[in-house]
Amino acid sequence: EIYSYSDKTAEKYASYVNSAAKQLGSAVDVYDVIIPLSSGITLPDNYYEKITSSSQNKAVESITEKLSEDVKAVNMYGNLMKHRNEYIYFRTDHHWTALGAYYGYEAFCHEKGVIPITLDRHEPVEFEGFLGSFYNDTKKSEVLKKNPDTVKAYYPISPDVSLVYTTDKGSSYSWDVIHDVSDYPSSIKYSTFIAGDNPFTEITNNNLQDGSACIVVKESFGNAFVPFLVDHYEKVYVVDYRYWNGNLIQMAKEKKVDDVIFVNNLSMIRSDYLTGKLGQIIE
């Protein structure tokens, strides 16, 4: 997974996040969660030196420097590196695992000034036989097929949580924050998290009645991250900017949210198309 940093695109990305923070003002805290790719964390150093790939640590630092003082930057690179020998990214897929997302959540909690809920308090569930994007990209490599991934997920500790997602055609469905994907095809088991990629998702923690709310603006890496936020907010609104056509600023004001949390991987931040899609819901 080769990574090439684009300063021009990073500048554009940061300008959109900065614009959101400026428009929302002091009433809303804006966080930017930047996720490294697996190649920048788990690939052994002696291999990494042999490929032409930009330093992901420097990329995160460069993007962070472009963010305004109104944005709270969440740099998880160090925490992921501390756990780089653990199963924090899939082998046959480009996403991080729920364990990797948990370490990212720890970094978020540190920036927010709250205590993360320890992993041992969450009930886990495992779904074996996952063959993801790398498997398809390698034309279904036999080596990868013989070494499938296991998707491990962690349920929120709050016992009464509901989720409703809305499709691009406007239909809404009730679902689970963590869904049983035992019988799903091997290629889509990552969709155990928050019903996969949908334009808009609303999660309600019925055990909280304090009015706390956030909006998570994400691509697919955010799916494994969101379940850990559920125990901290009465409402978690999830927007996938690749498919959602609303206005983020208007929605944040209407929903009276406390936090807007941008969750994006480094590959997205180098894409003109995806950063452009992000800009469309802000500007």
Side-chain angles (χ1 to χ4, degrees):
E1 187 179 37
I2 304 296
Y3 171 70
S4 54
Y5 172 72
S6 168
D7 194 65
K8 180 182 176 183
T9 315
E11 190 74 53
K12 186 166 73 168
Y13 171 82
S15 73
Y16 292 140
V17 177
N18 292 342
S19 175
K22 184 176 181 181
Q23 292 181 70
L24 290 169
S26 58
V28 177
D29 285 333
V30 173
Y31 295 87
D32 191 34
V33 178
I34 302 171
I35 307 168
L37 308 176
S38 60
S39 56
I41 301 293
T42 61
L43 189 65
D45 295 334
N46 60 328
Y47 281 96
Y48 198 82
E49 292 166 358
K50 297 175 184 177
I51 63 174
T52 306
S53 190
S54 304
S55 164
Q56 293 185 32
N57 187 28
K58 290 180 180 178
V60 172
E61 290 176 350
S62 179
I63 296 163
T64 300
E65 288 171 1
K66 300 178 191 303
L67 298 171
S68 71
E69 293 181 352
D70 298 326
V71 178
K72 299 176 185 294
V74 178
N75 188 339
M76 63 180 66
Y77 186 88
N79 203 32
L80 290 173
M81 283 296 283
K82 280 198 304 186
H83 299 280
R84 68 185 303 196
N85 293 320
E86 298 174 35
Y87 191 18
I88 59 174
Y89 288 88
F90 294 113
R91 297 183 301 271
T92 72
D93 187 75
H94 65 288
H95 292 103
W96 57 358
T97 65
L99 181 60
Y102 177 79
Y103 294 134
Y105 154 78
E106 281 188 327
F108 169 76
C109 288
H110 177 76
E111 184 63 35
K112 185 172 171 59
V114 298
I115 299 172
I117 297 169
T118 55
L119 207 54
D120 59 5
R121 293 182 63 194
H122 293 269
E123 180 188 347
V125 61
E126 293 188 355
F127 307 104
E128 297 178 348
F130 176 44
L131 295 169
S133 58
F134 290 160
Y135 175 65
N136 289 320
D137 291 344
T138 55
K139 298 181 180 179
K140 300 187 176 179
S141 158
E142 281 297 316
V143 176
L144 294 185
K145 188 176 182 179
K146 292 175 182 176
N147 294 276
D149 282 296
T150 296
V151 179
K152 188 173 185 177
Y154 298 90
Y155 292 103
I157 65 169
S158 301
D160 189 3
V161 174
S162 59
L163 180 152
V164 176
Y165 71 89
T166 304
T167 68
D168 53 1
K169 295 180 180 178
S171 302
S172 295
Y173 301 93
S174 296
W175 210 250
D176 308 308
V177 174
I178 303 297
H179 189 68
D180 186 346
V181 294
S182 302
D183 297 330
Y184 279 35
S186 60
S187 61
I188 58 174
K189 290 184 183 289
Y190 184 74
S191 61
T192 183
F193 305 109
I194 66 168
D197 295 328
N198 294 290
F200 181 74
T201 304
E202 180 175 335
I203 304 171
T204 305
N205 184 339
N206 297 298
N207 298 110
L208 292 177
Q209 295 181 345
D210 56 3
S212 57
C214 72
I215 300 174
V216 178
V217 184
K218 63 86 185 178
E219 34 75 21
S220 56
F221 270 70
N223 298 4
F225 181 79
V226 167
F228 295 114
L229 301 179
V230 170
D231 294 304
H232 294 273
Y233 298 92
E234 183 178 342
K235 290 279 190 180
V236 177
Y237 303 101
V238 185
V239 166
D240 193 319
Y241 57 85
R242 298 171 298 173
Y243 314 114
W244 189 67
N245 297 316
N247 181 276
L248 175 64
I249 309 305
Q250 182 180 342
M251 178 183 153
K253 292 177 179 178
E254 286 177 356
K255 302 294 187 184
K256 295 182 172 61
V257 302
D258 306 288
D259 302 329
V260 170
I261 309 165
F262 291 89
V263 182
N264 291 286
N265 74 82
L266 278 177
S267 188
M268 170 270 158
I269 300 172
R270 67 178 173 181
S271 166
D272 280 327
Y273 172 74
L274 290 178
T275 51
K277 291 289 286 184
L278 180 65
Q280 287 176 7
I281 71 168
I282 295 170
E283 299 292 285

